[in-house]
Amino acid sequence: MHDDRTLVEARLERVLRERIRPAVHPESTPLDVEIWSTPGEPVPVTEGLAAPTRPIAPGTAWGTPWGTSWFTVTGTVPAEWSGRTVEAVLDLGFTPRTPGFQCEGLVYGSDGTPVKGLHPRNSYVRVGSPVAGGEPVRWHIEAASNPDLDAGGVPFRPTPMGDRATAGDALQYVLGHMRLAVFDETVWNLVMDLEVLGELMPELPLDGGRRWEILRAVGRALDAVDLQDVNGTAQAARDELAGVLATPAAPTAHRISAVGHAHIDSAWLWPLRETVRKVARTASNMTALLEDEPDFVFAMSQAQQYAWLKEHRPEVWAKVKKAVADGRFVPAGGMWVESDTNMPGSEAMARQFVHGKRFFLEEFGIENDEAWLPDTFGFAAGLPQIIRAAGSKRLLTQKISWSRTNRFPHHTFNWEGIDGTRIFTHFPPVDSYNCEMTGRQLAHAARNFKEKGVATRSLAPTGFGDGGGGTTREMVAKAARMHSLEGAPAVEWEAPADFFAKAEAEYPDPPVWVGELYLELHRATLTSQAGTKRGNRRSESLLTEAELWATTAAVRTGSPYPYEELDRIWKTVLLHQFHDILPGSSIAWVHREARETYARLAGELEGIIAGAQRALAGEGTRDLVFNSAPHARRGIPAGGASAQAAAAAAGGADGAGGAVVPVPREGGGYVLDNGLLRAEIDGRGLVVSAYDIAAEREAIAPGQAANLLQLHPDFPNQWDAWDVDAFYRNVGSDLTDVAELSVEGAAVRVERAFGDSRVSQLLSLPADAKRLDIDTEVDWHERERFLKLAFPLDVKADRYAAETQFGHVYRPTHQNTSWEWAKFEACNHRFLYVDEPGWGVAIVNDATYGHDVTRSVRTGADAGTTTTVRASLLRAPRYPDPETDQGVHRFRHALVPGATIGDAVREGHRANLPERRVSGTVGEVAPLVTVDNDAVVVSAVKLADDRGGDLVVRVYEAHGGRARATVRADGFAAGHAVLTDLLERPLADAERPREVEGGVVLALRPFQMVTLRLPRA
């Protein structure tokens, strides 16, 4: 037989496009349309429904950027349509772009009840099936004219559209046709039949019979269609396809668990307020689809988004609650938002699960076993322990498929964290969290699945996402045809828990991946939007202080504990850790609001801290210094305050007043020497020596200088705010020109100017610590540049430690393999640490996350190894925020030679939890909680969330070794201490901790985190 394959395939494509799809709505009549546009921000629904309107015709421009318009559409069903299925087709002016990135709307009934959302792939509203004829119809549409930031067709182009303040007022969309139409279900089903078979054919082998069987059936179906009477002949065409659609899947076919999904970024190319409405539109769509499709299951994560529905759209919330109770609308993941997991601190990462899981428990009585993070930009190595401690045991992710250098070797595996905790993890081989149920996607999932031969099933999150939208009736129809179809994977709608149970049962001993799940892409999210990152770090630190001192004051003085305030503030901070806010990849509007929010929260938290400390100190003039850090310093106990130690802090916080005075250095510059460390700053303002006097050891590599600012061009191939490509390192300049070098009090001041920017630094050495403090202020006005702060160290280190949640992770300094080479930019929290046996150097910070560490061997007689640590300070990408990072930024770093890993931990906390001075009457405030081993760090002291008054203490082993410690708390009821999960519930399988002398004895494995609940006597 002649090969006419391409002829039939081309025929199918044209006939579908030009004849069959248009025949889905064979008859239509226009609706009358009126419009009212809000003059500012969105208004309440009642106001939108009551607003005065004016007529608007198809083809009329509407909608300023970020504006809201209310359309009223009215009409009457023609009497001659009686007995037929009728729906409204409502085109707001949709473009070919994906849903969620353009105009969209929410339809309300005449009584103001939400009906469903509108987007370009879901623009219908059902009138009746069948209709009686003559029915009046009336709907209101709350339409958002959100601008398309890539409307010019050029991605990543700088645009002012990312903030209402700069977007202008040009109308964005042209109203399409609003009409009532007859819906021909037979033709629609023919479209689905042909699309499924047409998409499946190219995925089948040319030398297999199944492909040709489908091709011939499609040819016969197209012959059966009378192009002049598609509606009258559609059933005949379907009959020709019935046989090939009825052939069942092979028993060995890959099994796909489809779950309805609409990944909704809590902010990204739209502000938070718009996400509130996106959630309402999508949830309305999905509850409507659930009513029409009995097999369909939809999953939505992010407790924050459910909370928005409850607060802002109670009618939609009621529908969601009913669907959840029916088991059809599934709360997934158990986190407050789908957060970044690299940068949130230990407690913040824990609280994501505390607040997310508690919301689902309180509102729905549901607790999930899985964490649901399809789009997060890599996963920190401390996360498995946190997931387990929250009462979960599974993880779903997708983003690792975006890695550009190495292909991840598994799709189903056990992931092991830094403490040894393992969680069952699935990474869908469909390589998308926005699966559209196409033949190409499902065939790719089956081919791509790496566990063939030992496992048979994967999950496919199905629906339009990022900007929302969700699953469509077309996707459900395609899934039904592929429930069992020869040549295709077998598809079944299932909730995530059902998939995971089956996947674990068939694959009880999967391979293990140890350590972080590093995304080989989007590395610059560790640096972009420095103001947002500083706001996050400061908020985390202030929350630590606020909980500590409010708890101490409540126990010691009976002061009221600020439950509501702390709960609200935590949730706000957690929201801003969403994986496009904290990473710095959102529009200008989002980051402007984030900076404002962080400033407001800081004021509230400072008030809580000050009030608690005032209650503890009393009214008086005696000087007390409060130490919030989990380690004693300068005579002040951890979590306590001392008047006797105040003299050591005189003149400033944390030893600034006790800093040594700089003396002139031969050859220019200054020397700082406190008997522990001698630091030499040359005439360029660079640190050319940091000498550990006791160890007789130099920290700075010979002939090199630390505190070296380095500037690189930064123009990635795409994803400007997200990416830094490896070639940035090919070109760079050292900023060594100094505008001013002087002594300011006990510090050396260094001023530099470069480009359109200026840098001012203060370098100081406290009198009693082996630590060089570097305070940097940058007035940054560069574009597409990357600023680094370099420390070339005379240390031969094959690996280095970077703090992560509840511990630290080790990474190689070499590039033996492509996996190591790909980690050329990575994340740390408060410290980095490099060492040789017996001697190391820590570099701590108060606000930065991105860094790189490289090694080189020096030439000449020395032939030593230089390990260079560089902190990433600032970037200047122009998309999606063209003004990213412009303005003044402040950073605090410290170089700590001769450090142990314990010193790194301690100094990291010191830099982030500065001492506070309060005048009062008491001589000291004893710590509420004490730990007798510095390797065991207190990460939280608080009152129990159930408001029963119990004390909750969370500790972890911070050095990476075994540790035994006694945790003592003032006034707890002996004999009643219990180990709990993160939600402060007793662990069913845990022994009661051993108590001794009013304390609890713990024996911890490396990096183990433990939560203690201590009832008060």
Side-chain angles (χ1 to χ4, degrees):
M1 182 176 287
H2 296 298
D3 184 351
D4 61 348
R5 177 176 50 86
T6 57
L7 188 67
V8 175
E9 290 172 352
R11 180 188 182 195
L12 171 62
E13 192 277 331
R14 185 178 183 190
V15 171
L16 264 175
R17 182 182 71 246
E18 296 186 18
R19 292 292 188 270
I20 301 180
R21 288 194 189 103
V24 169
H25 295 111
E27 301 174 56
S28 66
T29 184
L31 289 160
D32 295 324
V33 186
E34 296 192 333
I35 187 174
W36 174 72
S37 296
T38 64
E41 284 292 279
V43 299
V45 173
T46 53
E47 185 176 340
L49 296 178
T53 58
R54 59 176 176 80
I56 183 172
T60 304
W62 70 277
T64 58
W66 304 112
T68 300
S69 295
W70 284 83
F71 293 94
T72 300
V73 295
T74 56
T76 303
V77 177
E80 60 269 25
W81 290 358
S82 176
R84 305 173 78 177
T85 298
V86 175
E87 58 190 27
V89 181
L90 307 173
D91 182 358
L92 297 174
F94 298 125
T95 73
R97 277 275 278 165
T98 301
F101 297 86
Q102 55 174 291
C103 60
E104 49 191 309
L106 180 56
V107 179
Y108 296 85
S110 57
D111 62 351
T113 301
V115 177
K116 67 185 295 289
L118 296 177
H119 63 70
R121 310 289 179 86
N122 196 338
S123 61
Y124 69 91
V125 177
R126 183 61 58 88
V127 177
S129 180
V131 296
E135 297 99 321
V137 295
R138 181 182 183 89
W139 291 288
H140 303 274
I141 306 168
E142 182 188 16
S145 50
N146 300 333
D148 180 355
L149 270 67
D150 293 335
V154 180
F156 316 117
R157 183 171 62 181
T159 172
M161 289 294 181
D163 197 331
R164 188 161 191 167
T166 58
D169 56 6
L171 300 180
Q172 299 292 295
Y173 297 98
V174 175
L175 186 67
H177 289 281
M178 303 281 209
R179 56 197 175 104
L180 289 177
V182 172
F183 176 75
D184 190 324
E185 190 167 1
T186 302
V187 175
W188 183 82
N189 275 306
L190 176 60
V191 172
M192 296 299 99
D193 293 344
L194 289 170
E195 286 189 356
V196 166
L197 294 171
E199 291 164 358
L200 178 60
M201 275 193 296
E203 308 303 328
L204 298 172
L206 270 173
D207 57 358
R210 178 61 170 166
R211 180 163 181 171
W212 294 95
E213 181 185 36
I214 293 174
L215 186 80
R216 297 303 164 214
V218 168
R220 292 193 301 272
L222 295 175
D223 289 342
V225 175
D226 181 349
L227 299 185
Q228 309 308 313
D229 184 16
V230 172
N231 300 88
T233 56
Q235 186 57 54
R238 292 201 71 203
D239 292 343
E240 295 293 341
L241 300 173
V244 292
L245 285 168
T247 308
T252 56
H254 183 65
R255 298 182 176 276
I256 289 183
S257 297
V259 58
H261 190 236
H263 174 65
I264 303 177
D265 286 315
S266 289
W268 179 27
L269 304 181
W270 44 85
L272 286 167
R273 66 89 156 144
E274 193 56 33
T275 312
V276 175
R277 304 200 297 176
K278 284 178 176 286
V279 173
R281 296 172 198 131
T282 298
S284 296
N285 263 342
M286 295 303 95
T287 52
L289 190 61
L290 288 168
E291 293 176 2
D292 294 339
E293 302 291 347
D295 295 329
F296 176 56
V297 177
F298 179 76
M300 188 171 92
S301 69
Q302 305 192 75
Q304 170 69 87
Q305 297 188 358
Y306 289 85
W308 279 333
L309 285 179
K310 182 179 180 181
E311 179 182 359
H312 298 285
R313 291 292 191 272
E315 300 89 349
V316 180
W317 170 248
K319 293 181 179 181
V320 168
K321 284 208 75 169
K322 180 181 182 304
V324 170
D326 293 340
R328 307 280 309 287
F329 196 116
V330 181
M335 294 176 67
W336 191 246
V337 295
E338 289 182 14
S339 72
D340 180 81
T341 74
N342 285 312
M343 291 175 281
S346 303
E347 277 304 308
M349 200 73 255
R351 305 302 174 94
Q352 286 285 352
F353 289 91
V354 169
H355 287 284
K357 297 198 81 168
R358 184 169 288 135
F359 184 92
F360 287 164
L361 280 165
E362 292 175 351
E363 297 295 340
F364 306 123
I366 287 175
E367 181 164 9
N368 301 314
D369 280 340
E370 81 284 341
W372 186 273
L373 290 165
D375 191 32
T376 295
F377 309 152
F379 300 89
L383 190 57
Q385 178 176 209
I386 297 171
I387 292 173
R388 279 280 186 183
S392 297
K393 58 183 180 180
R394 298 158 172 163
L395 169 67
L396 179 132
T397 178
Q398 180 64 69
K399 200 70 171 189
I400 301 300
S401 67
W402 286 42
S403 285
R404 293 295 174 83
T405 305
N406 299 283
R407 296 286 294 172
F408 195 76
H410 312 297
H411 283 109
T412 302
F413 59 100
N414 275 333
W415 179 28
E416 182 179 316
I418 56 174
D419 74 313
T421 297
R422 292 181 178 181
I423 58 172
F424 187 82
T425 303
H426 182 65
F427 163 23
V430 71
D431 282 350
S432 175
Y433 51 81
N434 295 325
C435 176
E436 297 179 36
M437 206 49 61
T438 67
R440 178 187 58 78
Q441 289 174 318
L442 299 194
H444 172 75
R447 285 193 301 265
N448 189 35
F449 187 55
K450 291 184 171 60
E451 274 60 57
K452 296 183 189 75
V454 290
T456 64
R457 60 183 69 244
S458 66
L459 186 142
T462 301
F464 291 111
D466 290 324
T471 319
T472 64
R473 61 184 179 184
E474 289 77 16
M475 296 173 192
V476 176
K478 289 183 176 184
R481 285 158 174 78
M482 288 185 285
H483 178 70
S484 181
L485 179 64
E486 184 185 355
V491 178
E492 183 176 8
W493 293 105
E494 286 191 306
D498 296 327
F499 160 75
F500 272 110
K502 293 176 181 178
E504 276 192 284
E506 75 167 4
Y507 201 22
D509 190 24
V512 177
W513 181 270
V514 178
E516 65 186 329
L517 293 170
Y518 179 90
L519 177 63
E520 296 171 352
L521 194 73
H522 292 359
R523 302 168 181 89
T525 57
L526 303 172
T527 304
S528 296
Q529 298 287 358
T532 299
K533 290 171 170 58
R534 170 168 285 279
N536 172 74
R537 181 77 70 84
R538 187 183 182 207
S539 296
E540 291 179 347
S541 298
L542 289 172
L543 277 162
T544 296
E545 293 188 81
E547 287 185 339
L548 169 65
W549 300 121
T551 301
T552 306
V555 172
R556 293 276 173 71
T557 72
S559 297
Y561 189 78
Y563 290 104
E564 289 85 2
E565 294 91 334
L566 290 173
D567 181 79
R568 173 178 50 78
I569 293 170
W570 262 119
K571 288 174 179 175
T572 303
V573 172
L574 298 178
L575 166 60
H576 286 79
Q577 291 176 341
F578 179 76
H579 65 250
D580 276 307
I581 303 179
L582 179 53
S585 47
S586 289
I587 57 174
W589 189 338
V590 173
H591 292 289
R592 171 175 54 80
E593 288 190 333
R595 292 189 294 270
E596 295 166 357
T597 298
Y598 285 132
R600 184 182 72 251
L601 296 182
E604 293 185 57
L605 289 167
E606 291 284 4
I608 292 172
I609 295 165
Q613 291 182 341
R614 171 59 55 215
L616 291 164
E619 297 293 338
T621 59
R622 196 171 192 176
D623 203 19
L624 279 85
V625 177
F626 282 79
N627 173 23
S628 302
H631 304 93
R633 56 189 182 194
R634 297 185 303 116
I636 311 168
S642 172
Q644 289 82 359
D654 222 7
V660 301
V661 177
V663 299
R665 171 180 176 270
E666 185 178 351
Y670 297 93
V671 176
L672 298 166
D673 189 334
N674 64 2
L676 302 172
L677 178 68
R678 183 172 67 249
E680 295 188 27
I681 302 162
D682 72 4
R684 302 169 298 172
L686 302 179
V687 179
V688 292
S689 175
Y691 189 75
D692 179 349
I693 295 172
E696 299 181 338
R697 177 71 185 263
E698 175 61 60
I700 308 302
Q704 300 191 54
N707 188 41
L708 175 63
L709 291 165
Q710 296 179 309
L711 191 65
H712 296 273
D714 184 16
F715 191 64
N717 289 343
Q718 57 180 351
W719 298 107
D720 294 39
W722 295 256
D723 285 359
V724 56
D725 290 329
F727 54 72
Y728 89 91
R729 295 181 295 187
N730 297 346
V731 179
S733 58
D734 295 344
L735 303 180
T736 58
D737 291 343
V738 61
E740 179 185 342
L741 185 66
S742 60
V743 173
E744 183 174 305
V748 175
R749 173 174 288 280
V750 183
E751 299 277 354
R752 304 187 193 280
F754 59 95
D756 295 320
S757 305
R758 293 189 63 86
V759 175
S760 177
Q761 291 184 304
L762 292 175
L763 284 69
S764 60
L765 188 64
D768 56 353
K770 201 186 317 183
R771 182 186 78 238
L772 177 66
D773 291 327
I774 304 170
D775 293 352
T776 303
E777 179 179 288
V778 186
D779 188 4
W780 178 249
H781 297 284
E782 305 308 298
R783 305 285 182 177
E784 295 167 350
R785 295 287 187 270
F786 197 5
L787 185 64
K788 293 265 189 175
L789 181 63
F791 298 86
L793 305 174
D794 189 11
V795 178
K796 184 182 184 300
D798 294 329
R799 66 175 189 171
Y800 72 96
E803 189 186 32
T804 188
Q805 293 101 3
F806 298 112
H808 52 268
V809 62
Y810 284 103
R811 300 189 185 100
T813 60
H814 57 76
Q815 298 178 355
N816 284 356
T817 71
S818 58
W819 294 88
E820 288 134 6
W821 175 86
K823 294 182 180 181
F824 58 81
E825 187 78 7
C827 183
N828 68 284
H829 289 182
R830 289 167 292 210
F831 70 80
L832 291 165
Y833 178 71
V834 297
D835 71 327
E836 298 172 358
W839 195 86
V841 180
I843 295 172
V844 303
N845 74 84
D846 75 336
T848 58
Y849 297 93
H851 68 270
D852 69 274
V853 178
T854 56
R855 67 196 300 273
S856 60
V857 175
R858 301 187 290 271
T859 59
D862 172 51
T865 299
T866 299
T867 301
T868 300
V869 177
R870 299 199 305 168
S872 303
L873 300 187
L874 290 164
R875 299 184 68 234
R878 300 180 64 205
Y879 181 91
D881 177 4
E883 299 298 317
T884 300
D885 283 334
Q886 301 300 295
V888 177
H889 302 272
R890 293 177 176 84
F891 309 94
R892 295 182 67 202
H893 291 83
L895 176 68
V896 190
T900 63
I901 192 69
D903 295 326
V905 173
R906 184 187 66 252
E907 292 296 336
H909 283 100
R910 178 205 58 78
N912 286 267
L913 294 167
E915 296 167 350
R916 293 175 179 270
R917 299 168 65 85
V918 176
S919 296
T921 57
V922 300
E924 65 176 6
V925 176
L928 186 63
V929 175
T930 61
V931 182
D932 65 356
N933 185 340
D934 269 1
V936 178
V937 171
V938 176
S939 70
V941 175
K942 60 191 290 294
L943 293 188
D945 290 343
D946 63 10
R947 307 192 182 193
D950 290 353
L951 182 65
V952 172
V953 180
R954 190 152 30 250
V955 301
Y956 69 99
E957 196 289 314
H959 293 183
R962 298 275 177 172
R964 181 175 295 274
T966 301
V967 180
R968 289 185 170 83
D970 186 23
F972 90 94
H976 296 283
V978 294
L979 297 174
T980 75
D981 65 8
L982 291 177
L983 275 70
E984 301 165 9
R985 303 171 299 190
L987 295 173
D989 57 350
E991 296 182 3
R992 186 177 294 278
R994 184 165 67 90
E995 296 181 19
V996 57
E997 298 178 3
V1000 176
V1001 178
L1002 299 175
L1004 302 180
R1005 65 178 182 270
F1007 300 130
Q1008 183 180 2
M1009 176 263 288
V1010 166
T1011 303
L1012 284 166
R1013 183 164 181 150
L1014 305 172
R1016 287 156 57 193

